[in-house]
Amino acid sequence: MWNSSGALKKTSFHRSQTLDFKNGYAFFRLPREGIGGEALFANQLSQDELDDLCTKGTTLTYGQVKKPAPSLFTPAFVTYDKKVLKFDAYFMEEVASSPEENYRIRQVGLYYYLEDDSMCIIEPKVKNSGLLQGKLMKRHRVPKNEHGDYYHWRDLNLGIDLTIYGRTYRLVNCDCFTKVFLESQGIEVNPPEELVSDPYTEQRRAPLQKHIVPAGPDPFRQFLTYDTKVLRFYAIWDDTNCAFGDHHPCIIHYFLADDTVEVREIHKRNDGRDPFPVLMRRQRLPKIFVDKNKNFPSCVLEITDHEVQEWYSPKDFGIGKTVTLLGRTFLIYDCDKFTQDFYREKYGITDFQPVDVNEKPLEKVPQVIPPYNGFGIPEDSLQNCLSLVPKPPRKDIIKMLENNLKVLRYQVALESPVPEDKKRRFILSYFLSDDTISIYEPPIKNSGILGGKYLKRTKVTKPGSTPENPMYYEASDFTIGSTVEVFGHRFVIMDADEYVLNYLERNAESFPAATVQSIRDHFFPRKVVVETTSSGIPKKDLDDLIVEVQKELKLQEPFNTRQFHEAFHHFDQEGSGFLDKTRFLNICDRFHVPTNTILLKKLIDYCSCDEDKPHPNSTSQLLNVEMKLIGDKKVILRTKSDRKSGPPPPPPPP
């Protein structure tokens, strides 16, 4: 309803309920109100009927004539409830990814629900089809065109093509109810068509053709006699003529029941081949073919008895024989015990000596290490010859932690014929943590030589060592006066740090006695000079006196210093470290050491204040001394007690 302004006046459009239950029974009643709650006058008495009822009298015989009741109203969803039209149809689907089929026929069922004009399409599931089958289209009203129309049952009939969502369905048949319903509505139903089947599915359902084995003279008797009896041969297939070929160990099975042959390849762990044990499936193998036309394509046809002149039999196999099976040549080198018994009984063969097919091991070519090229340390360069991706050489972590920051320093001189190099001095540092050496040259002003780092920290090999067995310099190799060869340059050790003496004495069991004694003898003159100077004698006078004594002793005949020292130890029977002056002079006379010279007497007087008592200010008690000549430097005065206790730590070198 519309009002005077043109606006919609009615806002409610619901329908009144006509179905109800009473006392457990369903019944139907007439609607009391119209759509939207409007008054419904169709089911009420009119004014004329009411007037008739008021004025009409009652009849005594049969009463008034009853009027027929109006027809009952039945909704469409009640009338067509559970009434469905069913059509058989199919559609063609294109297959582009399969070489065996170009298209596929899929059979479906089309269902039309009369109660709400909806449709659905269901495809029966086929076992092992590989397709997503079942409900292809869910139930709903299907649009017919772009104008908003929907498919109606009047649009359905047999023998027509129905296009739904771009897919064309061919309706070929329907059920009996569908046919009766369409004919009752005045639709002429077309004759049914044959439902087309999928050709690929029919091909799969066809039984497979069985391979017919050519029969022998009496196959049944042979089968009963030799069933489960198999001859086993061990053979080698030589495939070395092909690229990447090898010797393949195989087992040849000959089945006596039907004269078939099977070849299995023996695989070993990590042999690099695909794990397919069967090299040739079980079949009869032809030995000699009948002469035939070469143009006949026999490679794609089944071989029959007419094409084969002779098949392989047990007499063709034996130890040491070579058989060609389907183009592959096998050398039989052994067989099992059952096979030996079979050939012994049937053919009288008694020689079953296996053939040796083991390959001779190849001679291992020794790895030749190229000569050291001088780059880096030999261990690091050697890793390039041992592996494709070189790894750094392993280090002794325990040694590095124990000897961290421990360095032995020596003063060395360059051994060179060049006069300018004779005055050059270097500091050689030996790192105990990793046995490396570095050399530093202290710069000297106006020398014309640029000082600084002479050799970076690296390991230095000894002369005569090889890259296969390199020998590096160790701490025990550094003694006073020894020569160290560093990459072709020779250095002479002149002096050492005081820390070197302390470290060697603390770890004397780890070093040779000669190395420790060399460092001690080198530091002893400094101790004597220090002790003698502390006794009150001017150091300059003592140095000058020692130089004069040294020059004078060089003019005398040489004597055995070892026997000279042993004589001092022999006369010191108490082990106190003291000798009186008289006995000391007697020992010197025995070894022809001139003590009557003025210089030696003066030196002895410096070491003693009288003939029987030690010097009162001498800290080392230099009353009775030993004398020996070291090199061309100076005369050293040393007591026996000093020899036993060892020299104190010397001062650091300049």
Side-chain angles (χ1 to χ4, degrees), residues 83-100:
K83 294 182 180 181
V84 183
L85 304 182
K86 196 261 181 180
F87 295 89
D88 295 332
Y90 69 89
F91 68 93
M92 183 183 298
E93 183 181 27
E94 183 181 359
V95 179
S97 60
S98 175
E100 299 180 358

PDB file of all heavy atoms in Angstrom, residues 83-100:
ATOM      1  N   LYS A  83      10.216 -34.969  -3.676  1.00  0.00           N
ATOM      2  CA  LYS A  83      10.009 -35.360  -5.065  1.00  0.00           C
ATOM      3  C   LYS A  83      11.152 -34.764  -5.887  1.00  0.00           C
ATOM      4  O   LYS A  83      11.293 -33.546  -5.976  1.00  0.00           O
ATOM      5  CB  LYS A  83       8.663 -34.866  -5.579  1.00  0.00           C
ATOM      6  CG  LYS A  83       7.482 -35.537  -4.891  1.00  0.00           C
ATOM      7  CD  LYS A  83       6.152 -35.062  -5.449  1.00  0.00           C
ATOM      8  CE  LYS A  83       4.975 -35.758  -4.743  1.00  0.00           C
ATOM      9  NZ  LYS A  83       3.678 -35.317  -5.290  1.00  0.00           N
ATOM     10  N   VAL A  84      11.967 -35.665  -6.467  1.00  0.00           N
ATOM     11  CA  VAL A  84      13.199 -35.262  -7.140  1.00  0.00           C
ATOM     12  C   VAL A  84      13.207 -35.882  -8.529  1.00  0.00           C
ATOM     13  O   VAL A  84      12.862 -37.061  -8.706  1.00  0.00           O
ATOM     14  CB  VAL A  84      14.447 -35.719  -6.354  1.00  0.00           C
ATOM     15  CG1 VAL A  84      15.718 -35.232  -7.036  1.00  0.00           C
ATOM     16  CG2 VAL A  84      14.387 -35.245  -4.917  1.00  0.00           C
ATOM     17  N   LEU A  85      13.598 -35.073  -9.503  1.00  0.00           N
ATOM     18  CA  LEU A  85      13.785 -35.559 -10.869  1.00  0.00           C
ATOM     19  C   LEU A  85      15.246 -35.954 -11.038  1.00  0.00           C
ATOM     20  O   LEU A  85      16.152 -35.177 -10.720  1.00  0.00           O
ATOM     21  CB  LEU A  85      13.419 -34.471 -11.881  1.00  0.00           C
ATOM     22  CG  LEU A  85      12.012 -33.872 -11.770  1.00  0.00           C
ATOM     23  CD1 LEU A  85      11.785 -32.843 -12.857  1.00  0.00           C
ATOM     24  CD2 LEU A  85      10.951 -34.956 -11.827  1.00  0.00           C
ATOM     25  N   LYS A  86      15.462 -37.166 -11.556  1.00  0.00           N
ATOM     26  CA  LYS A  86      16.817 -37.705 -11.663  1.00  0.00           C
ATOM     27  C   LYS A  86      17.111 -38.012 -13.123  1.00  0.00           C
ATOM     28  O   LYS A  86      16.379 -38.759 -13.780  1.00  0.00           O
ATOM     29  CB  LYS A  86      16.945 -38.963 -10.813  1.00  0.00           C
ATOM     30  CG  LYS A  86      18.394 -39.390 -10.543  1.00  0.00           C
ATOM     31  CD  LYS A  86      18.835 -40.483 -11.472  1.00  0.00           C
ATOM     32  CE  LYS A  86      20.267 -40.906 -11.155  1.00  0.00           C
ATOM     33  NZ  LYS A  86      20.754 -41.970 -12.043  1.00  0.00           N
ATOM     34  N   PHE A  87      18.240 -37.420 -13.632  1.00  0.00           N
ATOM     35  CA  PHE A  87      18.672 -37.623 -15.002  1.00  0.00           C
ATOM     36  C   PHE A  87      20.073 -38.230 -14.995  1.00  0.00           C
ATOM     37  O   PHE A  87      20.928 -37.836 -14.176  1.00  0.00           O
ATOM     38  CB  PHE A  87      18.705 -36.295 -15.786  1.00  0.00           C
ATOM     39  CG  PHE A  87      17.353 -35.670 -15.965  1.00  0.00           C
ATOM     40  CD1 PHE A  87      16.839 -34.795 -15.019  1.00  0.00           C
ATOM     41  CD2 PHE A  87      16.584 -35.960 -17.081  1.00  0.00           C
ATOM     42  CE1 PHE A  87      15.602 -34.217 -15.182  1.00  0.00           C
ATOM     43  CE2 PHE A  87      15.344 -35.381 -17.250  1.00  0.00           C
ATOM     44  CZ  PHE A  87      14.842 -34.505 -16.299  1.00  0.00           C
ATOM     45  N   ASP A  88      20.291 -39.167 -15.925  1.00  0.00           N
ATOM     46  CA  ASP A  88      21.635 -39.711 -16.157  1.00  0.00           C
ATOM     47  C   ASP A  88      22.305 -38.887 -17.246  1.00  0.00           C
ATOM     48  O   ASP A  88      21.719 -38.670 -18.315  1.00  0.00           O
ATOM     49  CB  ASP A  88      21.555 -41.174 -16.580  1.00  0.00           C
ATOM     50  CG  ASP A  88      20.995 -42.054 -15.481  1.00  0.00           C
ATOM     51  OD1 ASP A  88      21.175 -41.695 -14.305  1.00  0.00           O
ATOM     52  OD2 ASP A  88      20.374 -43.094 -15.793  1.00  0.00           O
ATOM     53  N   ALA A  89      23.555 -38.438 -16.963  1.00  0.00           N
ATOM     54  CA  ALA A  89      24.256 -37.572 -17.907  1.00  0.00           C
ATOM     55  C   ALA A  89      25.743 -37.889 -17.871  1.00  0.00           C
ATOM     56  O   ALA A  89      26.223 -38.660 -17.027  1.00  0.00           O
ATOM     57  CB  ALA A  89      24.011 -36.105 -17.576  1.00  0.00           C
ATOM     58  N   TYR A  90      26.470 -37.286 -18.788  1.00  0.00           N
ATOM     59  CA  TYR A  90      27.924 -37.398 -18.826  1.00  0.00           C
ATOM     60  C   TYR A  90      28.485 -36.117 -19.430  1.00  0.00           C
ATOM     61  O   TYR A  90      27.763 -35.358 -20.091  1.00  0.00           O
ATOM     62  CB  TYR A  90      28.371 -38.621 -19.637  1.00  0.00           C
ATOM     63  CG  TYR A  90      28.127 -38.529 -21.122  1.00  0.00           C
ATOM     64  CD1 TYR A  90      29.076 -37.982 -21.990  1.00  0.00           C
ATOM     65  CD2 TYR A  90      26.923 -38.980 -21.670  1.00  0.00           C
ATOM     66  CE1 TYR A  90      28.839 -37.881 -23.351  1.00  0.00           C
ATOM     67  CE2 TYR A  90      26.680 -38.882 -23.031  1.00  0.00           C
ATOM     68  CZ  TYR A  90      27.640 -38.337 -23.862  1.00  0.00           C
ATOM     69  OH  TYR A  90      27.406 -38.229 -25.201  1.00  0.00           O
ATOM     70  N   PHE A  91      29.777 -35.902 -19.178  1.00  0.00           N
ATOM     71  CA  PHE A  91      30.454 -34.767 -19.804  1.00  0.00           C
ATOM     72  C   PHE A  91      31.860 -35.211 -20.189  1.00  0.00           C
ATOM     73  O   PHE A  91      32.422 -36.168 -19.632  1.00  0.00           O
ATOM     74  CB  PHE A  91      30.489 -33.546 -18.880  1.00  0.00           C
ATOM     75  CG  PHE A  91      31.354 -33.716 -17.662  1.00  0.00           C
ATOM     76  CD1 PHE A  91      32.685 -33.306 -17.657  1.00  0.00           C
ATOM     77  CD2 PHE A  91      30.832 -34.287 -16.494  1.00  0.00           C
ATOM     78  CE1 PHE A  91      33.479 -33.464 -16.539  1.00  0.00           C
ATOM     79  CE2 PHE A  91      31.622 -34.445 -15.374  1.00  0.00           C
ATOM     80  CZ  PHE A  91      32.941 -34.035 -15.393  1.00  0.00           C
ATOM     81  N   MET A  92      32.440 -34.529 -21.149  1.00  0.00           N
ATOM     82  CA  MET A  92      33.761 -34.856 -21.684  1.00  0.00           C
ATOM     83  C   MET A  92      34.789 -33.875 -21.121  1.00  0.00           C
ATOM     84  O   MET A  92      34.602 -32.664 -21.193  1.00  0.00           O
ATOM     85  CB  MET A  92      33.745 -34.805 -23.210  1.00  0.00           C
ATOM     86  CG  MET A  92      35.080 -35.199 -23.860  1.00  0.00           C
ATOM     87  SD  MET A  92      35.039 -35.044 -25.662  1.00  0.00           S
ATOM     88  CE  MET A  92      33.756 -36.233 -26.042  1.00  0.00           C
ATOM     89  N   GLU A  93      35.880 -34.434 -20.563  1.00  0.00           N
ATOM     90  CA  GLU A  93      36.945 -33.623 -19.961  1.00  0.00           C
ATOM     91  C   GLU A  93      38.233 -33.851 -20.739  1.00  0.00           C
ATOM     92  O   GLU A  93      38.628 -34.992 -20.997  1.00  0.00           O
ATOM     93  CB  GLU A  93      37.154 -34.010 -18.492  1.00  0.00           C
ATOM     94  CG  GLU A  93      38.181 -33.164 -17.780  1.00  0.00           C
ATOM     95  CD  GLU A  93      38.368 -33.603 -16.332  1.00  0.00           C
ATOM     96  OE1 GLU A  93      38.135 -34.793 -16.046  1.00  0.00           O
ATOM     97  OE2 GLU A  93      38.743 -32.768 -15.510  1.00  0.00           O
ATOM     98  N   GLU A  94      38.904 -32.781 -21.100  1.00  0.00           N
ATOM     99  CA  GLU A  94      40.129 -32.872 -21.881  1.00  0.00           C
ATOM    100  C   GLU A  94      41.299 -33.238 -20.974  1.00  0.00           C
ATOM    101  O   GLU A  94      41.430 -32.722 -19.855  1.00  0.00           O
ATOM    102  CB  GLU A  94      40.410 -31.543 -22.580  1.00  0.00           C
ATOM    103  CG  GLU A  94      41.645 -31.569 -23.473  1.00  0.00           C
ATOM    104  CD  GLU A  94      41.904 -30.225 -24.132  1.00  0.00           C
ATOM    105  OE1 GLU A  94      41.095 -29.286 -23.894  1.00  0.00           O
ATOM    106  OE2 GLU A  94      42.891 -30.116 -24.872  1.00  0.00           O
ATOM    107  N   VAL A  95      42.172 -34.149 -21.447  1.00  0.00           N
ATOM    108  CA  VAL A  95      43.356 -34.591 -20.714  1.00  0.00           C
ATOM    109  C   VAL A  95      44.577 -34.240 -21.556  1.00  0.00           C
ATOM    110  O   VAL A  95      44.756 -34.768 -22.649  1.00  0.00           O
ATOM    111  CB  VAL A  95      43.311 -36.105 -20.428  1.00  0.00           C
ATOM    112  CG1 VAL A  95      44.568 -36.529 -19.689  1.00  0.00           C
ATOM    113  CG2 VAL A  95      42.063 -36.457 -19.638  1.00  0.00           C
ATOM    114  N   ALA A  96      45.396 -33.350 -21.050  1.00  0.00           N
ATOM    115  CA  ALA A  96      46.549 -32.871 -21.824  1.00  0.00           C
ATOM    116  C   ALA A  96      47.873 -33.409 -21.313  1.00  0.00           C
ATOM    117  O   ALA A  96      48.894 -33.256 -21.970  1.00  0.00           O
ATOM    118  CB  ALA A  96      46.591 -31.343 -21.812  1.00  0.00           C
ATOM    119  N   SER A  97      47.901 -34.043 -20.144  1.00  0.00           N
ATOM    120  CA  SER A  97      49.172 -34.456 -19.538  1.00  0.00           C
ATOM    121  C   SER A  97      49.376 -35.955 -19.548  1.00  0.00           C
ATOM    122  O   SER A  97      50.233 -36.463 -18.832  1.00  0.00           O
ATOM    123  CB  SER A  97      49.238 -33.949 -18.085  1.00  0.00           C
ATOM    124  OG  SER A  97      48.160 -34.482 -17.333  1.00  0.00           O
ATOM    125  N   SER A  98      48.600 -36.713 -20.315  1.00  0.00           N
ATOM    126  CA  SER A  98      48.734 -38.164 -20.330  1.00  0.00           C
ATOM    127  C   SER A  98      48.941 -38.631 -21.763  1.00  0.00           C
ATOM    128  O   SER A  98      48.195 -38.243 -22.666  1.00  0.00           O
ATOM    129  CB  SER A  98      47.486 -38.827 -19.735  1.00  0.00           C
ATOM    130  OG  SER A  98      47.570 -40.229 -19.853  1.00  0.00           O
ATOM    131  N   PRO A  99      49.945 -39.475 -22.006  1.00  0.00           N
ATOM    132  CA  PRO A  99      50.141 -39.981 -23.376  1.00  0.00           C
ATOM    133  C   PRO A  99      49.176 -41.102 -23.734  1.00  0.00           C
ATOM    134  O   PRO A  99      49.097 -41.499 -24.896  1.00  0.00           O
ATOM    135  CB  PRO A  99      51.587 -40.481 -23.347  1.00  0.00           C
ATOM    136  CG  PRO A  99      51.820 -40.865 -21.931  1.00  0.00           C
ATOM    137  CD  PRO A  99      51.021 -39.923 -21.102  1.00  0.00           C
ATOM    138  N   GLU A 100      48.441 -41.646 -22.758  1.00  0.00           N
ATOM    139  CA  GLU A 100      47.572 -42.783 -23.019  1.00  0.00           C
ATOM    140  C   GLU A 100      46.141 -42.362 -23.328  1.00  0.00           C
ATOM    141  O   GLU A 100      45.350 -43.191 -23.783  1.00  0.00           O
ATOM    142  CB  GLU A 100      47.586 -43.723 -21.809  1.00  0.00           C
ATOM    143  CG  GLU A 100      48.972 -44.275 -21.499  1.00  0.00           C
ATOM    144  CD  GLU A 100      48.965 -45.195 -20.294  1.00  0.00           C
ATOM    145  OE1 GLU A 100      47.871 -45.350 -19.706  1.00  0.00           O
ATOM    146  OE2 GLU A 100      50.028 -45.748 -19.953  1.00  0.00           O
TER     147      GLU A 100
END
